[in-house]
Amino acid sequence: MAGRLVIVGAGQAGFALAAKLRALKDERPITILGAEDVIPYQRPPLSKKYLLGEMDFERLTFRPQTWFAENDVDLRMSAYVEEIHRDARHVRMQDGSTLDYETLALATGSTPRTLPAAVGGDLDGVYTVRDKRDADQLAGEMRPGRRLLIIGGGYIGLEAAAVARHLGLEVTLIEMADRILQRVAAPETSDIMRAIHQQHGVVVREQTGLRRLVGDEGKVKAAELSDGSVIDVDFVIVGIGVNPNDRLAQHCGLDVANGIVVDAFARTSDPAILAMGDCAMLPWNGTRIRLESVQNAVDQAEAAAAVLAGGTQPYEPKPWFWSDQYDVKLQIAGFNLGYDETLLRPGSREGSASVWYFREGQLIAVDAVNDAKAYVAGKKLLEMGRTPDRASLSDPATDLKQLLS
Ligand SMILES: Cc1cc2nc3c(=O)[nH]c(=O)nc-3n(C[C@H](O)[C@H](O)[C@H](O)COP(=O)(O)OP(=O)(O)OC[C@H]3O[C@@H](n4cnc5c(N)ncnc54)[C@H](O)[C@@H]3O)c2cc1C
């Protein structure tokens, strides 16, 4: 039997790695070391149903606590790993204790970027959303009539805006770039999502940055924006992206470049150490990317488990992502990196539409807004490596199933 696998990080990828190994009947000893004080859980609802108060913590968890003992997985919570000693093959915990490994898996996730203290980032009432504790604190602030400023028009900011409007708060969202979702989507998708938020009463201010937050006795009370205007706020959510948790890897000399560099088998520059999920920088179509999604965390971890259990299949990301805002489901298949052409297809019912991305004539991704048919067809076409005829695609009368035949 193989020696101990130590997994650092008890999140989506860390749990998926352990669960898949056990599903594959791999019996090696497994220890999961997680910095948080709760058992592994999924994060997406933290900015959706959990924040809204429509989902309790039991439904967030991947498995009940009993699963870990039943599957002989040694889960240690509040166990923050400080250091990796590659020569000795052990990790050192915050309390000074060490744990030996034969194989080490880094599934440490990412950390939200914060505002510097110089612009008020350290004031009370300024939040990021990454873990259960953040969401619990935020939930306490979400009361009708309160004034919320959201900094950043990415998915987290937009989802939080939708929750806050649902709960009757006054919401202003500022985005420094020309448009919301600029980093991840085409202008057509930004236009659709902006219109939805405006219809729901969110004040969306693009090309508007933050000059500074103004506090009163250590608590945020106003925000001075880049255009010189000042707005009163009760609390602030900062959603300006994340940084990979690659410090441990960097300190022990692994290759790190905006994430822990891995190959298609999740191996780092030390063959005894794997990395997966948000913290990993992986090979993709001749370049390297980091993917911050549930799909990648699970698929990459499961592919790594299969290799540990004797398989030889490399991991090929097949990206998909979703975001829920109000009654809108945005589903994304593929990866639009480097797109040079887009096509907007109206959906068959009101409020539904899809945006199709092409690079050098090839279909590379689809954003579907309340349009499950477009999402499913787009995903299948991408899997088949096929590019539909533009004229048929842009004609709303075309049955998308026809494009698959
Ligand atoms: C609010 C929110 C909403 C999201 N919504 C979506 C969505 O709709 N769709 C989607 O696809 N994705 C979504 N995501 C992204 C998705 O949740 C992540 O991509 C996924 O959780 C990544 O899994 P991971 O295992 O890499 O990291 P995580 O799940 O973040 O787990 C990493 C764990 O490692 C722990 N850790 C870090 N360092 C150490 C250390 N030194 N020692 C011990 N433990 C450590 C952390 O505390 C954490 O518990 C969302 C994320 C957030 C925060």
Side-chain angles (χ1 to χ4, degrees):
M1 188 171 64
R4 176 165 300 278
L5 166 68
V6 172
I7 302 173
V8 184
Q12 191 88 48
F15 173 77
L17 176 64
K20 186 68 179 177
L21 277 168
R22 288 300 183 248
L24 293 170
K25 308 283 179 237
D26 187 289
E27 290 179 353
R28 81 186 66 208
I30 300 177
T31 297
I32 307 182
L33 303 170
E36 293 179 67
D37 57 4
V38 286
I39 64 170
Y41 62 92
Q42 44 169 331
R43 288 177 206 284
L46 296 181
S47 51
K48 309 177 182 75
K49 286 199 162 165
Y50 184 79
L51 190 57
L52 205 48
E54 288 182 356
M55 197 175 185
D56 57 21
F57 182 66
E58 278 61 45
R59 282 182 57 213
L60 278 191
T61 60
F62 299 119
R63 294 285 187 281
Q65 177 124 33
T66 48
W67 181 90
F68 295 89
E70 282 161 16
N71 286 275
D72 202 15
V73 172
D74 171 27
L75 172 65
R76 303 192 196 171
M77 305 316 300
S78 304
Y80 186 83
V81 174
E82 279 285 357
E83 239 174 357
I84 301 168
H85 293 232
R86 286 163 59 195
D87 294 344
R89 282 208 182 190
H90 69 224
V91 293
R92 189 175 61 75
M93 320 291 294
Q94 209 162 30
D95 65 5
S97 63
T98 60
L99 183 67
D100 293 342
Y101 65 82
E102 181 178 276
T103 308
L104 182 66
L106 301 175
T108 46
S110 50
T111 301
R113 292 190 195 118
T114 51
L115 297 176
V119 298
D122 60 345
L123 290 169
D124 284 349
V126 181
Y127 298 90
T128 54
V129 200
R130 183 70 199 176
D131 57 28
K132 175 180 179 291
R133 194 181 312 171
D134 299 333
D136 289 343
Q137 282 179 353
L138 254 182
E141 299 268 20
M142 292 272 189
R143 294 192 302 278
R146 301 196 80 216
R147 295 156 304 180
L148 165 62
L149 170 68
I150 297 179
I151 302 174
Y155 292 120
I156 301 275
L158 292 173
E159 289 177 0
V163 169
R165 284 302 297 148
H166 192 97
L167 295 173
L169 283 82
E170 287 174 27
V171 181
T172 301
L173 183 145
I174 59 169
E175 167 56 62
M176 206 165 68
D178 287 349
R179 55 184 175 87
I180 57 168
L181 296 175
Q182 181 158 297
R183 191 177 66 86
V184 291
E188 293 89 331
T189 304
S190 301
D191 291 347
I192 296 171
M193 298 313 295
R194 181 191 312 105
I196 290 167
H197 279 275
Q198 287 174 335
Q199 279 154 19
H200 282 85
V202 176
V203 177
V204 179
R205 296 175 66 170
E206 293 161 313
Q207 297 179 342
T208 306
L210 175 80
R211 210 173 269 170
R212 67 180 186 114
L213 296 173
V214 183
D216 182 19
E217 293 182 3
K219 167 98 175 72
V220 68
K221 67 162 185 139
E224 226 179 271
L225 306 182
S226 56
D227 59 5
S229 59
V230 177
I231 55 171
D232 292 335
V233 300
D234 293 311
F235 67 107
V236 175
I237 297 178
V238 181
I240 53 175
V242 296
N243 292 321
N245 289 332
D246 53 14
R247 184 191 61 85
L248 276 179
Q250 195 163 18
H251 278 197
C252 73
L254 299 178
D255 283 354
V256 166
N258 181 31
I260 308 167
V261 176
V262 296
D263 66 12
F265 300 93
R267 285 180 304 227
T268 67
S269 49
D270 177 340
I273 306 182
L274 309 174
M276 56 204 65
D278 280 15
C279 69
M281 179 61 114
L282 45 132
W284 185 77
N285 279 2
T287 172
R288 290 190 175 279
I289 50 168
R290 248 176 10 85
L291 292 168
E292 296 155 12
S293 73
V294 167
Q295 166 274 325
N296 176 64
V298 173
D299 290 357
Q300 197 193 10
E302 292 194 346
V307 170
L308 284 178
T312 54
Q313 206 48 26
Y315 169 55
E316 283 174 33
K318 295 193 177 61
W320 61 263
F321 188 85
W322 80 94
S323 176
D324 298 323
Q325 297 165 38
Y326 312 102
D327 54 354
V328 174
K329 188 170 250 336
L330 172 62
Q331 291 168 292
I332 298 156
F335 195 48
N336 66 18
L337 190 72
Y339 70 89
D340 49 27
E341 187 191 343
T342 54
L343 184 153
L344 177 66
R345 180 186 153 88
S348 53
R349 59 193 176 93
E350 207 186 319
S352 69
S354 52
V355 178
W356 299 68
Y357 296 82
F358 304 86
R359 188 180 51 224
E360 293 169 10
Q362 280 282 111
L363 177 69
I364 54 168
V366 182
D367 296 343
V369 182
N370 273 349
D371 195 340
K373 280 187 189 152
Y375 171 69
V376 171
K379 199 160 180 259
K380 284 204 178 128
L381 286 164
L382 288 164
E383 276 162 17
M384 294 190 293
R386 291 237 310 261
T387 295
D389 163 61
R390 311 281 200 288
S392 325
L393 189 59
S394 55
D395 181 355
T398 304
D399 180 357
L400 286 171
K401 281 194 201 130
Q402 273 176 24
L403 302 176
L404 301 172
S405 53

